[in-house]
Every structure is written in C-alpha cells, then in structure tokens.
Amino acid sequence: MKITRISAYQLDLPRQAAFTLSGGRTVAAFDTTVVRVDTDAGLTGLGEVCPFGSAYLPAYAKGARTGIAELAPQLIGDDPRQVEALYRRMDGLLKGHPYVKSALDIAMWDILGQTAGLPLYVLLGGRHGQSIPLYQPISHDVPDRMAAQVKAAQEAGYARFQPKVGANPDDDIARLRAVLTVTRPGDVVVADANGGWFTHQARRFVGAMAGAPIYVEQPCAGYDECLSIRAASALPFVLDESIDSAAMVLRLQRDHAADLINLKLAKVGGLTPARQIRDLCVSLGIAMTIEDSGGGDVIAAAITHLAQATPVANRYALCNAYFLVKRHFADGVPEIRDGAVTATDAPGLGLRLREQELGKPFFSTH
Ligand code: MG
C-alpha cells in the first residue's frame, strides 16, 4: 500500500466557553489542523494536531501547518501501515517538532486499523475495562465562579475536576478552598498550575493546602523547580508539561518526581511515541491522564482508543474538552455518558469524515 496524497485543513472549533490558564492564556476556539492521508488502496486516514494557543507548549498552530507541508511531500509513496518504520523516517527528515509528526502519525494508525479491520484499541493493547472516566478542567477565574463550574460539571455527571491555578498563591488558595466547599466525598480535585508559579509561590500553596484532598499538578515551569516542591509536600503530585519523552519518564521514576503523568499526544509526537511511553509507565507502575493539548473529533477518538487499551489501574482519566467542541467534522466520535466514554468497535479511529465540513485544504501534495 502506498500513500498517494496528503492534504491538511485548518478549522476553528469553538469551545463551549472560553478557557483560561494562569498567565492569561485564554483559548475561545481551538485553531486545529486536520490531516487527511489517501492511499492507492482507496483507504483514507485522519489525523489532527491542535496546540493550546501559542504560549502553552513549544508548539503553535501555524508551526504545525508549516511542518506538515514540509514533511508531507516526502512521504508520498511510503507504506502508511508500517507506522514505526514511517515514524523513524519522519525523524530522519525533520529533527524534533513532535507535534508536527503527531497528526501524520495518527492518520497512519487510522489506515493500519482500517487495513486490519480492527479498532485502534485492539492494535494498541486490547480492551481494558469498560468506560473511561472523563475529567472537567475548571477555567482560571475568581473563586466563586470556579466553584460554580465544579457544581455544573457535577450535575453533568463528572466526579473529577482540574481547577486552574498558578497565579497569586493567596488567590489560588482561596480558589481551591472555594472548590472544596462544593466537592463531594469521592470527587477528585487536581490543582493545575500549568507551570505558573515561582518556587516561593508554589511552596506557599502546598504549605497552606497540606492535608487537603487534592493533587498538585506542574507547579513550576521547570522540572527541577517542580522536584523541589515535590520534596516539600506530601500531596499527590502530577507532572505534565515537563514530561515530554520516555527519557523524562525514566528521570521522573529515578527522582520520585511525581505519582502521575499527563500524556498528551502532540507533546510526545503522536500515537507511536505515546504508546511507547504508555507501556513504560505500565511497567514502572505510573498512572496516566491520557489527553492532548487541544483538538476535536480525531483527538477525541485517538485518546479514547489509547486509554481503552491501557490497564485500568494505570489510566487515571481523560480530558473532556475535545468531545465538547461546538463544531464537528466527523461522525463516530465516542459519546459521553455519565461523565465517561468507551472506544467504538469500528475499524481504525472509527470515524466517518464529513468532507463538506473541511472545505478547501490549505495544503495538498497535489
Ligand atoms: Mg496540565
């Protein structure tokens, strides 16, 4: 089988509401890039990449599109089913830029699944358990409104919440205290600073919240700063932005730097490296939130398949954001029921493209 054409499309996917991280990083609509890979066998694979704005990870939407236009012509004629070999080829053509490769890699896996007639979760490790819980990110806001966001999500069936902190630590302590006035026994609360604190600020936050039923996620931007906060707190700890490779997982394990990681497809470079990191975490006994930096229908399907193929004890939750965008370009996306999703059994990603939704490609190899 040969790749005959690669096309890429830009879409704006409005979110249900604008979402804000610390530092005023707000995204009202995902600026996403959808990749379509056509083959001489008549199969079409779909991929997607969507940075959360330009100031979250070292990635930005126009960079994704420029990189895809750089790589795509060099992949024409290659066999899309040989995902690992093709990934090494992409690495040989473009050093770094994992988010660029992520969209292409997801599309290759979609084709492999369709060729095999199997849903991706079978190829990624087989079905583990049934439904996978979703978590509700809580946009950075004043304390009362963050508590109100939690209450609304509880009414929609969610029991896991990720309030955004990482600003003035006194205000952040007030934010978490407000959230904890509305949480119920069994609810899970992860205070995510997205690297927004200096160590003195993070130290004040974890000191004030000692003993509270919360997790702390990525308090500071740098790994070593996070490690110093980890040593100062008994709260369960999550690392996200700092963990972008298998090598960083090994470092985390050596340093006891966190109890969980957030595994984002675009951050590590797609399903091929995410599967390797997932397997490493399973071997090491590390739990994972499986998610991405943004996106819509393809990302929702891809993370559901990877999570479904991950042992229940190792998978912590999925982010709900990609399932809830207000514009769709494919059918067959797993549906949310009671704050959880289950992978579908259709081959590959299990999606049916709504071609008219994509419009004109911004790039096509011919
Ligand atoms: Mg995070």
Side-chain angles (χ1 to χ4, degrees), residues 203-219:
R203 218 170 284 281
R204 288 190 51 184
F205 180 87
V206 298
M209 299 308 293
I214 65 166
Y215 293 63
V216 176
E217 177 171 333
Q218 193 74 37

Side-chain angles (χ1 to χ4, degrees), residues 130-146:
Q130 294 304 318
S131 64
I132 307 151
L134 296 164
Y135 77 85
Q136 173 75 48
I138 304 296
S139 186
H140 191 78
D141 204 336
V142 296
D144 286 356
R145 284 205 288 267
M146 290 180 76

Side-chain angles (χ1 to χ4, degrees), residues 292-303:
D292 211 338
S293 47
D297 297 331
V298 170
I299 297 304
I303 63 167

